[in-house]
Amino acid sequence: GFSFYEAEYDELQPWLIAETKTTRDEGAPRKEETALWLRVIHKRYFVELGADDQGRARFGLMINY
């Protein structure tokens, strides 16, 4: 992934992240999954919104103490 610009701790910082995963079950063909995330970081809050190539929405929230 990459950030659009450099930001300080107390500024909003967006990231664009591409995630790929390959799985292979025995006897089954290889399966690849791709997802795109928009991660926004502000101080100790991380919020992620995205979707995978199947059209399933994803959401993540992390708070660092």
Side-chain angles (χ1 to χ4, degrees):
F2 67 92
S3 177
F4 295 97
Y5 52 85
E6 189 174 335
E8 297 295 324
Y9 175 75
D10 59 346
E11 297 176 325
L12 202 64
Q13 184 175 24
W15 283 71
L16 184 63
I17 300 166
E19 177 183 294
T20 60
K21 181 170 78 169
T22 302
T23 57
R24 175 179 272 169
D25 295 330
E26 193 169 323
R30 189 170 89 174
K31 183 179 175 187
E32 295 183 6
E33 297 177 13
T34 304
L36 288 175
W37 291 86
L38 177 63
R39 177 183 289 168
V40 178
I41 302 170
H42 186 260
K43 296 184 181 181
R44 59 188 189 125
Y45 300 99
F46 290 64
V47 178
E48 298 176 329
L49 299 169
D52 62 15
D53 55 358
Q54 303 293 319
R56 295 177 294 211
R58 296 182 175 193
F59 173 78
L61 173 65
M62 181 171 61
I63 302 170
N64 291 322
Y65 292 98

